[in-house]
Amino acid sequence: MARSLQEEFWAGEFGNNYIERNDGQDLVASYTALFVNVLQHTDRIESVCEFGANIGLNLVALHTLLPQAMLTGIEINQKAAERLAALPYVRAIHSSIYDPELESRLGGAGQYDFVFTNGVLIHQAPALLDKAYDILYQASRRYIMVNEYYEPKPVEIEYRGNQSVLFKRDFAGELLDRHPDLKLVDYGFVYHRDTHFSGDDSTWFLMEKR
């Protein structure tokens, strides 16, 4: 199923251990605060698709804010996908985001009002990023959000003693350049020292198809 060294990494034991380190209501609260800020710049979101959903904490937060929306999550790690599938309001898809059959499993192009990643593009193979951007673009009917580590120029960071699995760059800028009909709607920073809803020093960017 995995299409790269990075996907193999997350599909395996490291991805299993990540589940245990990243679970709890404090994260759901932080994600809810994040999406309150993002969604105030959107309207009429009835369908959502998350690429790299893990156990679904982002979708739990979104269900609180958009209780009537159809929620779909795509996840490469089997254990995480099983947890995701246990959420009764989420359609879980256990798959690589690069699977050529994924678009048909999602119902075709342009099926979702709001498509997003949260700490997922930073873990993709740089050589596959253009493909990842195209997949996000094709899945979206209107909005795309990426919440990732921002850096003006690409840089690789050691991640818990592992190499070639964490990268910082201007993901949103590259997406905007690759698909010129996207416009930047808003952006914001999530600071780890926020006393109420701390984050991981990531930057979110909301884009809309013209």
Side-chain angles (χ1 to χ4, degrees):
M1 175 182 290
R3 306 280 165 163
S4 66
L5 175 154
Q6 290 78 13
E7 284 201 323
E8 289 178 359
F9 181 75
W10 285 101
E13 192 62 28
F14 187 92
N16 294 343
N17 294 333
Y18 178 89
I19 297 170
E20 305 305 319
R21 293 197 308 272
N22 294 270
D23 192 2
Q25 290 303 305
D26 55 336
L27 283 173
V28 174
S30 293
Y31 294 156
T32 303
L34 165 67
F35 286 114
V36 165
N37 287 329
V38 174
L39 294 178
Q40 66 180 326
H41 305 288
T42 67
D43 60 23
R44 300 184 64 179
I45 292 179
E46 298 177 353
S47 55
V48 174
C49 184
E50 179 181 8
F51 287 80
N54 200 252
I55 61 174
L57 299 187
N58 289 298
L59 297 175
V60 172
L62 280 168
H63 181 63
T64 301
L65 300 172
L66 301 170
Q68 303 303 318
M70 178 187 72
L71 305 179
T72 297
I74 301 153
E75 174 55 42
I76 186 112
N77 182 278
Q78 182 173 347
K79 288 187 176 181
E82 290 170 357
R83 290 275 301 274
L84 183 66
L87 297 172
Y89 46 81
V90 173
R91 178 190 176 208
I93 300 177
H94 179 214
S95 175
S96 162
I97 67 174
Y98 305 106
D99 188 331
E101 301 299 319
L102 181 59
E103 183 176 304
S104 63
R105 294 176 70 183
L106 290 173
Q111 294 296 309
Y112 298 89
D113 297 323
F114 184 78
V115 170
F116 75 98
T117 66
N118 187 1
V120 170
L121 296 178
I122 57 173
H123 298 301
Q124 300 305 305
L128 292 177
L129 277 176
D130 282 348
K131 178 64 173 175
Y133 298 149
D134 291 349
I135 290 167
L136 293 174
Y137 178 84
Q138 290 160 7
S140 171
R141 179 183 297 122
R142 186 169 182 185
Y143 297 107
I144 299 173
M145 187 207 82
V146 297
N147 183 41
E148 308 287 343
Y149 294 145
Y150 172 80
E151 192 73 27
K153 294 185 178 179
V155 60
E156 179 184 332
I157 306 296
E158 183 178 297
Y159 183 47
R160 292 182 174 265
N162 297 282
Q163 305 295 327
S164 301
V165 291
L166 176 58
F167 308 90
K168 296 182 179 183
R169 59 198 300 150
D170 185 3
F171 300 100
E174 293 173 358
L175 184 52
L176 289 164
D177 288 343
R178 187 164 179 84
H179 294 284
D181 63 324
L182 288 174
K183 67 175 181 179
L184 179 64
V185 176
D186 202 7
Y187 58 93
F189 181 66
V190 184
Y191 188 36
H192 75 279
R193 290 197 181 193
D194 188 303
T195 56
H196 297 291
F197 304 108
S198 63
D200 200 18
D201 293 338
S202 59
T203 305
W204 60 266
F205 299 85
L206 177 66
M207 292 155 277
E208 182 179 8
K209 286 186 174 182
R210 291 194 175 104

